[in-house]
Amino acid sequence: MTDQHIKTLAEIRSQYKTASEKREVSILVAGDSKSGKTNLLRTCPKPILVDMFDPLGDIVLEKKSKLHPDWASIEDGSILVRVFSKERSSAPTEYERWERQWQSDLDSKFLANFGTYCIDSATTWIQALTNRLIKIQQRKNKGLEIQDYPILYNTVRDVIKLSCEQGPLFFLTAHTVTDKDETTGALIKELLVYKTLKAELPMLFSEFYSMEKKQIGSDVKHVLLTTDKGLYKAGGRLNFDNVLKQEEEPNIKEILKKTGFTIPDKQL
């Protein structure tokens, strides 16, 4: 091995060590409406910044939890919400308004002040982006045309990748619908997004979990699925030692702790 080879190996090791030290976790959580996706945010590293595209989605984050006083809330100041849910397809404004704010956040490194940054949800955020594209492309039929989709897909990819690089945990929620698998005909839970993004979105995140709402007698129990189960899809890169159960209590901090990727709270 030459001196140059030794130097190159040292550079590779140094680059990997630096990248590993800066590595951040990103989580996509899917589930039906009212399955507990937004409430799961309370268990993320604090403080938590939420860009809310779902109408009235912030209601579940307002008050401190009596059962879990350590969980985050708007009331105690550990959750901050910016509302972008007043979207009208006939006169879209929210995506453009959000994009200006988000770009300013990137330029100023504002997001690095938080333990968690969340967009809630992918479904309504992408719909706002769709409305914006229809407006700027002047689509008279009020729908996207085939040449518009690459723009939309690339925009979604870029926002997710850049958001993942900002320092905090990046947390994205997505609604699901029950559909048939085109190959097997089996029923599955699919992301309520455009077809190309159904398979691609989970690949952009280190973790892809699903929320399941189970009826147990007269009680309803919410569980977080970390691997595939029946209709539900889930999986992740942190669970390489299989330390997570298929059904976990919905608590992001505890899941990160189990996998050895603890993210500490920050002081805002």
Side-chain angles (χ1 to χ4, degrees):
M1 185 177 291
T2 67
D3 290 344
Q4 182 58 45
H5 291 164
I6 294 172
K7 181 180 179 181
T8 301
L9 286 173
E11 289 174 350
I12 293 172
R13 290 193 177 102
S14 176
Q15 290 170 1
Y16 179 79
K17 182 180 179 181
T18 301
S20 180
E21 289 171 350
K22 293 181 178 179
R23 182 175 291 125
E24 297 294 342
V25 179
S26 55
I27 301 176
L28 171 63
V29 176
D32 294 340
S33 180
K34 312 298 189 296
S35 62
K37 301 182 298 296
T38 302
N39 198 43
L40 182 64
L41 262 173
R42 292 170 169 272
T43 70
C44 289
K46 307 172 189 174
I48 301 163
L49 176 65
V50 185
D51 283 344
M52 182 65 66
F53 283 82
D54 281 3
L56 302 178
D58 52 323
I59 288 177
V60 299
L61 304 173
E62 285 184 350
K63 300 297 183 181
K64 293 178 66 174
S65 171
K66 294 179 181 179
L67 294 176
H68 304 281
D70 58 320
W71 285 10
S73 69
I74 296 172
E75 184 178 30
D76 70 9
S78 57
I79 297 180
L80 288 83
V81 178
R82 300 187 294 202
V83 177
F84 297 92
S85 59
K86 297 178 181 179
E87 176 75 355
R88 289 189 298 139
S89 60
S90 59
T93 58
E94 297 297 72
Y95 186 86
E96 184 179 11
R97 187 168 69 88
W98 170 82
E99 188 177 51
R100 287 198 304 268
Q101 180 62 65
W102 176 78
Q103 188 60 58
S104 174
D105 294 344
L106 297 190
D107 294 341
S108 66
K109 303 190 183 304
F110 176 67
L111 298 179
N113 293 295
F114 294 87
T116 303
Y117 171 56
C118 172
I119 297 176
D120 190 13
S121 67
T123 308
T124 45
W125 169 60
I126 292 173
Q127 186 57 60
L129 168 58
T130 300
N131 293 340
R132 172 64 177 156
L133 287 176
I134 289 172
K135 179 181 178 181
I136 63 176
Q137 303 288 28
Q138 298 181 345
R139 301 304 181 207
K140 295 181 179 179
N141 64 354
K142 301 298 183 182
L144 294 178
E145 297 184 4
I146 190 168
Q147 63 267 34
D148 301 325
Y149 287 99
I151 300 172
L152 185 144
Y153 298 148
N154 286 333
T155 300
V156 171
R157 294 182 192 112
D158 289 346
V159 168
I160 290 173
K161 289 176 182 178
L162 286 169
S163 295
C164 288
E165 295 171 0
Q166 296 310 302
L169 165 70
F170 180 50
F171 189 101
L172 181 68
T173 66
H175 293 277
T176 54
V177 291
T178 304
D179 205 349
K180 277 190 177 182
D181 185 281
E182 293 181 356
T183 303
T184 66
L187 291 177
I188 56 173
K189 290 285 185 181
E190 287 201 317
L191 298 178
L192 188 55
V193 293
Y194 289 107
K195 183 177 180 180
T196 297
L197 295 174
K198 291 180 189 295
E200 188 168 353
L201 269 186
M203 294 190 295
L204 297 174
F205 290 81
S206 64
E207 309 304 298
F208 172 41
Y209 301 143
S210 287
M211 289 293 299
E212 181 186 8
K213 188 166 59 173
K214 302 172 68 174
Q215 190 76 37
I216 304 175
S218 59
D219 296 328
V220 174
K221 180 179 175 63
H222 297 267
V223 296
L224 189 66
L225 302 176
T226 64
T227 58
D228 292 351
K229 178 192 173 187
L231 302 179
Y232 299 87
K233 296 296 182 183
R237 297 179 176 90
L238 299 185
N239 194 28
F240 51 84
D241 279 335
N242 295 317
V243 295
L244 297 179
K245 295 180 292 185
Q246 183 182 54
E247 294 184 3
E248 287 281 350
E249 288 293 323
N251 191 313
I252 296 301
K253 280 186 176 180
E254 287 302 313
I255 286 175
L256 293 176
K257 184 178 179 180
K258 282 187 176 183
T259 58
F261 282 80
T262 302
I263 299 175
D265 293 338
K266 296 180 181 179
Q267 295 295 321
L268 188 60

